[in-house]
Amino acid sequence: MGPSLCALASGRICVEWQAFMTPPPLKIGITCYPSVGGSGILAAELGEELARRGHEIHFISYERPFRMPAGDPRVFFHPVVVNSYDLFKYPDYTLPLSVKMAEVSRDHALDVLHVHYAVPHATAAFLACSMLPAGQRPKVITTLHGTDTTLLARDPGYGPAIRHALEHSDAITTVSEFMRRETLAHLAVTRPIEVIYNFFEPRPPARAPTDVRRELGLRDGEAMLLHLSNLRALKRIDLLLATAVRLGQAGESFRLVILAGADFAPFAAEVERLGLAGRVVVRQNVADIEDYLQAADLGLFTSETESFCLSILELMSLGRPSVAFAVGGIPEVVADGETGLLAPFGDTAALAAHVRSLLRDPARRAALGTAAQRRARDLFSAAAIVTRYEELYRRILPGPPHAGRAP
Ligand code: GMT
């Protein structure tokens, strides 16, 4: 809200004093999956950015989120303890999570509980609110990231519970238009759904690209193709390796560097069988990703679906284009032909041809990279996206400007 002008009886113009009041900081609970995955990374970075803007952030999860900021006095972590009992075949996480959410909401007077991933976080938030007296209930925002909608919503054992939790959220957001459409198609949610894209704010790389390439064993003149993922089945590592085989057959000089968020061992035999052992370099759970992003020539992704694909954005932020299949929300992230190159799903020949065309034309690769970085700054920066979340929080809270709740 900008300063508003009022005319005084004297004819002088004054600026209304309220315009200078910064709205008070909020107390925000964030629940996410803490392991290496786009939704957990996004939630951790969102918490960091919100804390930087003066808000108090309370992460509630079974582990500290990967990339959760350390040492910020405005950021707290509340672990959910799950005990195991012989009487249950499956341990339950939802109930201890909901109890912890209620406890943190009450003890810290949370204004907002922002849950990332519907299952089971949105349901736990609903339960937590039901446990609290009306005056102590935080507003609940559910952000849908991916398979919580595309996969689980179709499961009759989950769908109705997801829909119920969404209908009782105070706001629902998705990370792409694609995900919004999927949610409407599979869950028929009646509440409005707002698209708020993911963001990424790179930290300055700590090492020079030459040092990183040496660490990875790249020889002079070898191109570095970078893939980052949690290696889940839908990332289609089989197609990634098939594309690498095609590039090798075409005589390209390259290494495929995989920053894995999970154990790569299940793929090792296949890498060997395809004769890719000297080509594929794997690093697991890397924290200093900017070093690798900057050292890469381009990104390579073969997912069969993605609601957004945060890894592509991470590369874009360092001025690196990606080659990927045109699935899910990826065409919203990559402007095909301008900031990266897309191919129809499964067409590894087309994907390999795109990679080759960029390796052979450094000027075009650089132009795509520059355009990718500009697009990342314009559409997917913290400045743009975190502001959208802040506006959403304030919009759903009562009374302008929101004054926070007394503990
Ligand atoms: O739902 C998933 O598949 C996992 C989820 C995650 O936690 O990594 O990934 C989703 O959220 C990311 C962050 O918003 C997106 O960048 C990924 O595209 C999305 N994954 C899928 O849609 C498969």
Side-chain angles (χ1 to χ4, degrees), residues 33 36-40 42 117 144-148 150 175 178-179 198 230 232 234-235 305-311:
Y33 281 106
V36 186
S39 60
L42 190 279
Y117 220 89
L144 299 172
H145 282 270
T147 29
D148 45 356
T150 52
V175 298
F178 163 79
M179 188 52 41
N198 286 330
N230 51 18
R232 288 173 58 201
L234 56 81
K235 303 293 174 180
T305 184
E306 285 289 346
S307 64
F308 186 90
C309 199
L310 194 58
S311 302

PDB file of all heavy atoms in Angstrom, residues 33 36-40 42 117 144-148 150 175 178-179 198 230 232 234-235 305-311, ligand 1:
ATOM      1  N   TYR A  33       7.862 -31.268   4.136  1.00  0.00           N
ATOM      2  CA  TYR A  33       8.714 -32.451   4.220  1.00  0.00           C
ATOM      3  C   TYR A  33      10.155 -31.949   4.271  1.00  0.00           C
ATOM      4  O   TYR A  33      10.569 -31.172   3.407  1.00  0.00           O
ATOM      5  CB  TYR A  33       8.491 -33.381   3.025  1.00  0.00           C
ATOM      6  CG  TYR A  33       7.255 -34.211   3.201  1.00  0.00           C
ATOM      7  CD1 TYR A  33       6.091 -33.939   2.489  1.00  0.00           C
ATOM      8  CD2 TYR A  33       7.236 -35.239   4.130  1.00  0.00           C
ATOM      9  CE1 TYR A  33       4.946 -34.684   2.686  1.00  0.00           C
ATOM     10  CE2 TYR A  33       6.088 -35.984   4.341  1.00  0.00           C
ATOM     11  CZ  TYR A  33       4.951 -35.713   3.613  1.00  0.00           C
ATOM     12  OH  TYR A  33       3.813 -36.439   3.826  1.00  0.00           O
ATOM     13  N   VAL A  36      15.313 -33.825   1.099  1.00  0.00           N
ATOM     14  CA  VAL A  36      15.678 -33.105  -0.122  1.00  0.00           C
ATOM     15  C   VAL A  36      14.571 -33.287  -1.159  1.00  0.00           C
ATOM     16  O   VAL A  36      14.329 -34.358  -1.660  1.00  0.00           O
ATOM     17  CB  VAL A  36      17.001 -33.644  -0.686  1.00  0.00           C
ATOM     18  CG1 VAL A  36      17.460 -32.801  -1.863  1.00  0.00           C
ATOM     19  CG2 VAL A  36      18.056 -33.655   0.390  1.00  0.00           C
ATOM     20  N   GLY A  37      13.891 -32.247  -1.463  1.00  0.00           N
ATOM     21  CA  GLY A  37      12.783 -32.279  -2.422  1.00  0.00           C
ATOM     22  C   GLY A  37      12.363 -30.850  -2.635  1.00  0.00           C
ATOM     23  O   GLY A  37      12.544 -30.015  -1.742  1.00  0.00           O
ATOM     24  N   GLY A  38      11.802 -30.570  -3.813  1.00  0.00           N
ATOM     25  CA  GLY A  38      11.490 -29.189  -4.159  1.00  0.00           C
ATOM     26  C   GLY A  38      10.600 -28.486  -3.152  1.00  0.00           C
ATOM     27  O   GLY A  38      10.828 -27.319  -2.814  1.00  0.00           O
ATOM     28  N   SER A  39       9.571 -29.193  -2.644  1.00  0.00           N
ATOM     29  CA  SER A  39       8.633 -28.513  -1.748  1.00  0.00           C
ATOM     30  C   SER A  39       9.314 -28.145  -0.428  1.00  0.00           C
ATOM     31  O   SER A  39       9.077 -27.063   0.115  1.00  0.00           O
ATOM     32  CB  SER A  39       7.401 -29.377  -1.496  1.00  0.00           C
ATOM     33  OG  SER A  39       7.765 -30.604  -0.901  1.00  0.00           O
ATOM     34  N   GLY A  40      10.170 -29.042   0.076  1.00  0.00           N
ATOM     35  CA  GLY A  40      10.885 -28.753   1.331  1.00  0.00           C
ATOM     36  C   GLY A  40      11.881 -27.627   1.150  1.00  0.00           C
ATOM     37  O   GLY A  40      12.048 -26.765   2.024  1.00  0.00           O
ATOM     38  N   LEU A  42      11.705 -25.219  -1.124  1.00  0.00           N
ATOM     39  CA  LEU A  42      10.962 -23.967  -1.289  1.00  0.00           C
ATOM     40  C   LEU A  42      10.477 -23.454   0.069  1.00  0.00           C
ATOM     41  O   LEU A  42      10.614 -22.258   0.376  1.00  0.00           O
ATOM     42  CB  LEU A  42       9.791 -24.231  -2.256  1.00  0.00           C
ATOM     43  CG  LEU A  42       8.972 -23.075  -2.795  1.00  0.00           C
ATOM     44  CD1 LEU A  42       7.918 -22.589  -1.838  1.00  0.00           C
ATOM     45  CD2 LEU A  42       9.826 -21.889  -3.246  1.00  0.00           C
ATOM     46  N   TYR A 117       2.432 -29.130   0.843  1.00  0.00           N
ATOM     47  CA  TYR A 117       2.097 -30.527   0.566  1.00  0.00           C
ATOM     48  C   TYR A 117       0.864 -30.881   1.413  1.00  0.00           C
ATOM     49  O   TYR A 117       0.882 -30.774   2.641  1.00  0.00           O
ATOM     50  CB  TYR A 117       3.270 -31.446   0.933  1.00  0.00           C
ATOM     51  CG  TYR A 117       3.467 -32.561  -0.063  1.00  0.00           C
ATOM     52  CD1 TYR A 117       4.289 -32.388  -1.182  1.00  0.00           C
ATOM     53  CD2 TYR A 117       2.841 -33.788   0.114  1.00  0.00           C
ATOM     54  CE1 TYR A 117       4.481 -33.420  -2.081  1.00  0.00           C
ATOM     55  CE2 TYR A 117       3.027 -34.817  -0.787  1.00  0.00           C
ATOM     56  CZ  TYR A 117       3.842 -34.640  -1.882  1.00  0.00           C
ATOM     57  OH  TYR A 117       4.025 -35.655  -2.754  1.00  0.00           O
ATOM     58  N   LEU A 144      -0.012 -26.477  -2.709  1.00  0.00           N
ATOM     59  CA  LEU A 144       0.091 -27.788  -3.379  1.00  0.00           C
ATOM     60  C   LEU A 144       1.292 -27.759  -4.314  1.00  0.00           C
ATOM     61  O   LEU A 144       1.422 -26.862  -5.139  1.00  0.00           O
ATOM     62  CB  LEU A 144      -1.195 -28.062  -4.163  1.00  0.00           C
ATOM     63  CG  LEU A 144      -2.458 -28.119  -3.300  1.00  0.00           C
ATOM     64  CD1 LEU A 144      -3.707 -28.188  -4.185  1.00  0.00           C
ATOM     65  CD2 LEU A 144      -2.414 -29.311  -2.355  1.00  0.00           C
ATOM     66  N   HIS A 145       2.129 -28.779  -4.178  1.00  0.00           N
ATOM     67  CA  HIS A 145       3.392 -28.784  -4.917  1.00  0.00           C
ATOM     68  C   HIS A 145       3.460 -29.810  -6.035  1.00  0.00           C
ATOM     69  O   HIS A 145       4.225 -29.641  -6.972  1.00  0.00           O
ATOM     70  CB  HIS A 145       4.557 -29.051  -3.965  1.00  0.00           C
ATOM     71  CG  HIS A 145       4.954 -27.855  -3.171  1.00  0.00           C
ATOM     72  ND1 HIS A 145       5.907 -26.962  -3.608  1.00  0.00           N
ATOM     73  CD2 HIS A 145       4.518 -27.392  -1.983  1.00  0.00           C
ATOM     74  CE1 HIS A 145       6.050 -26.008  -2.704  1.00  0.00           C
ATOM     75  NE2 HIS A 145       5.214 -26.239  -1.709  1.00  0.00           N
ATOM     76  N   GLY A 146       2.771 -30.920  -5.905  1.00  0.00           N
ATOM     77  CA  GLY A 146       3.003 -31.935  -6.945  1.00  0.00           C
ATOM     78  C   GLY A 146       2.157 -33.156  -6.765  1.00  0.00           C
ATOM     79  O   GLY A 146       0.930 -33.111  -6.916  1.00  0.00           O
ATOM     80  N   THR A 147       2.814 -34.255  -6.394  1.00  0.00           N
ATOM     81  CA  THR A 147       2.109 -35.532  -6.406  1.00  0.00           C
ATOM     82  C   THR A 147       1.025 -35.627  -5.344  1.00  0.00           C
ATOM     83  O   THR A 147       0.229 -36.548  -5.377  1.00  0.00           O
ATOM     84  CB  THR A 147       3.105 -36.696  -6.283  1.00  0.00           C
ATOM     85  OG1 THR A 147       4.248 -36.265  -5.557  1.00  0.00           O
ATOM     86  CG2 THR A 147       3.574 -37.152  -7.637  1.00  0.00           C
ATOM     87  N   ASP A 148       1.011 -34.656  -4.390  1.00  0.00           N
ATOM     88  CA  ASP A 148      -0.124 -34.641  -3.464  1.00  0.00           C
ATOM     89  C   ASP A 148      -1.416 -34.433  -4.248  1.00  0.00           C
ATOM     90  O   ASP A 148      -2.490 -34.843  -3.820  1.00  0.00           O
ATOM     91  CB  ASP A 148       0.036 -33.570  -2.363  1.00  0.00           C
ATOM     92  CG  ASP A 148       0.506 -32.220  -2.877  1.00  0.00           C
ATOM     93  OD1 ASP A 148       0.787 -32.100  -4.080  1.00  0.00           O
ATOM     94  OD2 ASP A 148       0.608 -31.290  -2.068  1.00  0.00           O
ATOM     95  N   THR A 150      -1.411 -34.637  -8.148  1.00  0.00           N
ATOM     96  CA  THR A 150      -1.431 -35.407  -9.395  1.00  0.00           C
ATOM     97  C   THR A 150      -1.580 -36.904  -9.155  1.00  0.00           C
ATOM     98  O   THR A 150      -2.115 -37.618  -9.985  1.00  0.00           O
ATOM     99  CB  THR A 150      -0.147 -35.157 -10.206  1.00  0.00           C
ATOM    100  OG1 THR A 150       0.970 -35.385  -9.351  1.00  0.00           O
ATOM    101  CG2 THR A 150      -0.090 -33.752 -10.745  1.00  0.00           C
ATOM    102  N   VAL A 175       1.778 -24.113  -7.297  1.00  0.00           N
ATOM    103  CA  VAL A 175       3.032 -23.526  -7.777  1.00  0.00           C
ATOM    104  C   VAL A 175       3.047 -23.344  -9.301  1.00  0.00           C
ATOM    105  O   VAL A 175       4.055 -22.887  -9.843  1.00  0.00           O
ATOM    106  CB  VAL A 175       4.258 -24.341  -7.320  1.00  0.00           C
ATOM    107  CG1 VAL A 175       4.347 -24.347  -5.797  1.00  0.00           C
ATOM    108  CG2 VAL A 175       4.223 -25.773  -7.857  1.00  0.00           C
ATOM    109  N   PHE A 178      -0.600 -25.263 -14.283  1.00  0.00           N
ATOM    110  CA  PHE A 178      -0.817 -26.694 -14.514  1.00  0.00           C
ATOM    111  C   PHE A 178      -1.350 -27.346 -13.243  1.00  0.00           C
ATOM    112  O   PHE A 178      -2.331 -28.101 -13.278  1.00  0.00           O
ATOM    113  CB  PHE A 178       0.500 -27.351 -14.949  1.00  0.00           C
ATOM    114  CG  PHE A 178       0.499 -28.850 -14.834  1.00  0.00           C
ATOM    115  CD1 PHE A 178      -0.125 -29.632 -15.797  1.00  0.00           C
ATOM    116  CD2 PHE A 178       1.094 -29.485 -13.749  1.00  0.00           C
ATOM    117  CE1 PHE A 178      -0.147 -31.020 -15.681  1.00  0.00           C
ATOM    118  CE2 PHE A 178       1.075 -30.863 -13.630  1.00  0.00           C
ATOM    119  CZ  PHE A 178       0.459 -31.639 -14.597  1.00  0.00           C
ATOM    120  N   MET A 179      -0.711 -27.034 -12.122  1.00  0.00           N
ATOM    121  CA  MET A 179      -1.111 -27.655 -10.856  1.00  0.00           C
ATOM    122  C   MET A 179      -2.492 -27.183 -10.430  1.00  0.00           C
ATOM    123  O   MET A 179      -3.269 -27.935  -9.850  1.00  0.00           O
ATOM    124  CB  MET A 179      -0.048 -27.309  -9.806  1.00  0.00           C
ATOM    125  CG  MET A 179      -0.164 -28.000  -8.475  1.00  0.00           C
ATOM    126  SD  MET A 179      -0.315 -29.770  -8.500  1.00  0.00           S
ATOM    127  CE  MET A 179       0.821 -30.245  -9.738  1.00  0.00           C
ATOM    128  N   ASN A 198       7.049 -20.762  -7.798  1.00  0.00           N
ATOM    129  CA  ASN A 198       8.217 -20.944  -6.928  1.00  0.00           C
ATOM    130  C   ASN A 198       9.234 -19.836  -7.184  1.00  0.00           C
ATOM    131  O   ASN A 198       9.195 -19.169  -8.227  1.00  0.00           O
ATOM    132  CB  ASN A 198       8.862 -22.297  -7.190  1.00  0.00           C
ATOM    133  CG  ASN A 198       8.036 -23.432  -6.595  1.00  0.00           C
ATOM    134  OD1 ASN A 198       7.362 -23.243  -5.582  1.00  0.00           O
ATOM    135  ND2 ASN A 198       8.077 -24.596  -7.211  1.00  0.00           N
ATOM    136  N   ASN A 230      15.527 -35.848  -6.963  1.00  0.00           N
ATOM    137  CA  ASN A 230      15.491 -36.831  -5.870  1.00  0.00           C
ATOM    138  C   ASN A 230      15.365 -38.249  -6.423  1.00  0.00           C
ATOM    139  O   ASN A 230      15.088 -39.184  -5.670  1.00  0.00           O
ATOM    140  CB  ASN A 230      14.362 -36.503  -4.886  1.00  0.00           C
ATOM    141  CG  ASN A 230      13.032 -36.301  -5.588  1.00  0.00           C
ATOM    142  OD1 ASN A 230      12.845 -36.713  -6.729  1.00  0.00           O
ATOM    143  ND2 ASN A 230      12.092 -35.665  -4.914  1.00  0.00           N
ATOM    144  N   ARG A 232      13.245 -39.932  -7.931  1.00  0.00           N
ATOM    145  CA  ARG A 232      12.002 -40.713  -7.873  1.00  0.00           C
ATOM    146  C   ARG A 232      11.672 -41.241  -9.265  1.00  0.00           C
ATOM    147  O   ARG A 232      12.144 -40.708 -10.274  1.00  0.00           O
ATOM    148  CB  ARG A 232      10.866 -39.839  -7.363  1.00  0.00           C
ATOM    149  CG  ARG A 232      11.001 -39.541  -5.887  1.00  0.00           C
ATOM    150  CD  ARG A 232       9.967 -38.538  -5.457  1.00  0.00           C
ATOM    151  NE  ARG A 232       8.618 -39.000  -5.723  1.00  0.00           N
ATOM    152  CZ  ARG A 232       7.565 -38.187  -5.829  1.00  0.00           C
ATOM    153  NH1 ARG A 232       7.718 -36.885  -5.727  1.00  0.00           N
ATOM    154  NH2 ARG A 232       6.370 -38.666  -6.046  1.00  0.00           N
ATOM    155  N   LEU A 234       9.332 -40.955 -11.248  1.00  0.00           N
ATOM    156  CA  LEU A 234       8.819 -40.031 -12.271  1.00  0.00           C
ATOM    157  C   LEU A 234       9.903 -39.125 -12.861  1.00  0.00           C
ATOM    158  O   LEU A 234       9.666 -38.429 -13.845  1.00  0.00           O
ATOM    159  CB  LEU A 234       7.638 -39.205 -11.735  1.00  0.00           C
ATOM    160  CG  LEU A 234       7.801 -38.379 -10.470  1.00  0.00           C
ATOM    161  CD1 LEU A 234       8.488 -37.073 -10.771  1.00  0.00           C
ATOM    162  CD2 LEU A 234       6.442 -38.148  -9.827  1.00  0.00           C
ATOM    163  N   LYS A 235      11.101 -39.136 -12.270  1.00  0.00           N
ATOM    164  CA  LYS A 235      12.209 -38.340 -12.843  1.00  0.00           C
ATOM    165  C   LYS A 235      12.778 -39.034 -14.075  1.00  0.00           C
ATOM    166  O   LYS A 235      13.576 -38.443 -14.812  1.00  0.00           O
ATOM    167  CB  LYS A 235      13.326 -38.118 -11.812  1.00  0.00           C
ATOM    168  CG  LYS A 235      12.862 -37.450 -10.526  1.00  0.00           C
ATOM    169  CD  LYS A 235      12.420 -36.010 -10.740  1.00  0.00           C
ATOM    170  CE  LYS A 235      11.822 -35.437  -9.469  1.00  0.00           C
ATOM    171  NZ  LYS A 235      11.368 -34.070  -9.582  1.00  0.00           N
ATOM    172  N   THR A 305       6.504 -35.983 -15.409  1.00  0.00           N
ATOM    173  CA  THR A 305       5.622 -34.891 -14.985  1.00  0.00           C
ATOM    174  C   THR A 305       6.369 -34.038 -13.972  1.00  0.00           C
ATOM    175  O   THR A 305       7.266 -34.524 -13.276  1.00  0.00           O
ATOM    176  CB  THR A 305       4.289 -35.394 -14.390  1.00  0.00           C
ATOM    177  OG1 THR A 305       3.462 -34.259 -14.095  1.00  0.00           O
ATOM    178  CG2 THR A 305       4.496 -36.197 -13.124  1.00  0.00           C
ATOM    179  N   GLU A 306       6.027 -32.790 -13.917  1.00  0.00           N
ATOM    180  CA  GLU A 306       6.584 -31.846 -12.934  1.00  0.00           C
ATOM    181  C   GLU A 306       5.553 -30.744 -12.784  1.00  0.00           C
ATOM    182  O   GLU A 306       5.083 -30.198 -13.778  1.00  0.00           O
ATOM    183  CB  GLU A 306       7.882 -31.183 -13.441  1.00  0.00           C
ATOM    184  CG  GLU A 306       9.114 -32.025 -13.435  1.00  0.00           C
ATOM    185  CD  GLU A 306       9.680 -32.318 -12.050  1.00  0.00           C
ATOM    186  OE1 GLU A 306       9.282 -31.665 -11.069  1.00  0.00           O
ATOM    187  OE2 GLU A 306      10.507 -33.231 -11.971  1.00  0.00           O
ATOM    188  N   SER A 307       5.232 -30.384 -11.563  1.00  0.00           N
ATOM    189  CA  SER A 307       4.323 -29.248 -11.429  1.00  0.00           C
ATOM    190  C   SER A 307       5.057 -27.950 -11.754  1.00  0.00           C
ATOM    191  O   SER A 307       4.460 -26.994 -12.226  1.00  0.00           O
ATOM    192  CB  SER A 307       3.757 -29.185 -10.014  1.00  0.00           C
ATOM    193  OG  SER A 307       4.795 -28.950  -9.101  1.00  0.00           O
ATOM    194  N   PHE A 308       6.367 -27.929 -11.519  1.00  0.00           N
ATOM    195  CA  PHE A 308       7.137 -26.708 -11.755  1.00  0.00           C
ATOM    196  C   PHE A 308       8.558 -27.052 -12.236  1.00  0.00           C
ATOM    197  O   PHE A 308       9.003 -26.634 -13.283  1.00  0.00           O
ATOM    198  CB  PHE A 308       7.197 -25.888 -10.457  1.00  0.00           C
ATOM    199  CG  PHE A 308       7.845 -24.551 -10.593  1.00  0.00           C
ATOM    200  CD1 PHE A 308       7.109 -23.423 -10.910  1.00  0.00           C
ATOM    201  CD2 PHE A 308       9.218 -24.411 -10.402  1.00  0.00           C
ATOM    202  CE1 PHE A 308       7.732 -22.180 -11.044  1.00  0.00           C
ATOM    203  CE2 PHE A 308       9.844 -23.177 -10.525  1.00  0.00           C
ATOM    204  CZ  PHE A 308       9.093 -22.060 -10.843  1.00  0.00           C
ATOM    205  N   CYS A 309       9.271 -27.816 -11.449  1.00  0.00           N
ATOM    206  CA  CYS A 309      10.679 -28.199 -11.642  1.00  0.00           C
ATOM    207  C   CYS A 309      11.608 -27.077 -11.151  1.00  0.00           C
ATOM    208  O   CYS A 309      12.170 -26.301 -11.937  1.00  0.00           O
ATOM    209  CB  CYS A 309      11.040 -28.601 -13.064  1.00  0.00           C
ATOM    210  SG  CYS A 309      12.587 -29.568 -13.071  1.00  0.00           S
ATOM    211  N   LEU A 310      11.745 -27.063  -9.845  1.00  0.00           N
ATOM    212  CA  LEU A 310      12.570 -26.055  -9.178  1.00  0.00           C
ATOM    213  C   LEU A 310      14.022 -26.109  -9.662  1.00  0.00           C
ATOM    214  O   LEU A 310      14.696 -25.083  -9.739  1.00  0.00           O
ATOM    215  CB  LEU A 310      12.501 -26.298  -7.660  1.00  0.00           C
ATOM    216  CG  LEU A 310      13.000 -25.210  -6.736  1.00  0.00           C
ATOM    217  CD1 LEU A 310      12.254 -23.900  -6.953  1.00  0.00           C
ATOM    218  CD2 LEU A 310      12.861 -25.639  -5.276  1.00  0.00           C
ATOM    219  N   SER A 311      14.498 -27.308 -10.008  1.00  0.00           N
ATOM    220  CA  SER A 311      15.901 -27.440 -10.435  1.00  0.00           C
ATOM    221  C   SER A 311      16.170 -26.636 -11.705  1.00  0.00           C
ATOM    222  O   SER A 311      17.257 -26.065 -11.866  1.00  0.00           O
ATOM    223  CB  SER A 311      16.242 -28.909 -10.683  1.00  0.00           C
ATOM    224  OG  SER A 311      16.001 -29.649  -9.528  1.00  0.00           O
TER     225      SER A 311
HETATM  226  O1  GMT B   1       5.178 -33.919  -5.160  1.00  0.00           O
HETATM  227  C1  GMT B   1       6.278 -34.287  -5.496  1.00  0.00           C
HETATM  228  O2  GMT B   1       6.473 -34.983  -6.464  1.00  0.00           O
HETATM  229  C2  GMT B   1       7.456 -33.907  -4.687  1.00  0.00           C
HETATM  230  C3  GMT B   1       7.674 -32.442  -4.668  1.00  0.00           C
HETATM  231  C4  GMT B   1       8.859 -32.252  -3.794  1.00  0.00           C
HETATM  232  O3  GMT B   1       8.663 -32.160  -2.598  1.00  0.00           O
HETATM  233  O4  GMT B   1       9.962 -32.216  -4.341  1.00  0.00           O
HETATM  234  O5  GMT B   1       7.984 -31.887  -5.936  1.00  0.00           O
HETATM  235  C5  GMT B   1       7.071 -31.003  -6.424  1.00  0.00           C
HETATM  236  O6  GMT B   1       7.291 -29.716  -5.856  1.00  0.00           O
HETATM  237  C6  GMT B   1       8.375 -28.973  -6.361  1.00  0.00           C
HETATM  238  C7  GMT B   1       8.405 -27.619  -5.646  1.00  0.00           C
HETATM  239  O7  GMT B   1       7.226 -26.915  -5.861  1.00  0.00           O
HETATM  240  C8  GMT B   1       8.253 -28.797  -7.867  1.00  0.00           C
HETATM  241  O8  GMT B   1       9.358 -28.061  -8.368  1.00  0.00           O
HETATM  242  C9  GMT B   1       8.222 -30.180  -8.521  1.00  0.00           C
HETATM  243  O9  GMT B   1       7.988 -30.018  -9.898  1.00  0.00           O
HETATM  244  C10 GMT B   1       7.101 -31.009  -7.935  1.00  0.00           C
HETATM  245  N1  GMT B   1       7.215 -32.391  -8.419  1.00  0.00           N
HETATM  246  C11 GMT B   1       6.323 -32.919  -9.225  1.00  0.00           C
HETATM  247  O10 GMT B   1       5.363 -32.334  -9.622  1.00  0.00           O
HETATM  248  C12 GMT B   1       6.595 -34.300  -9.668  1.00  0.00           C
END
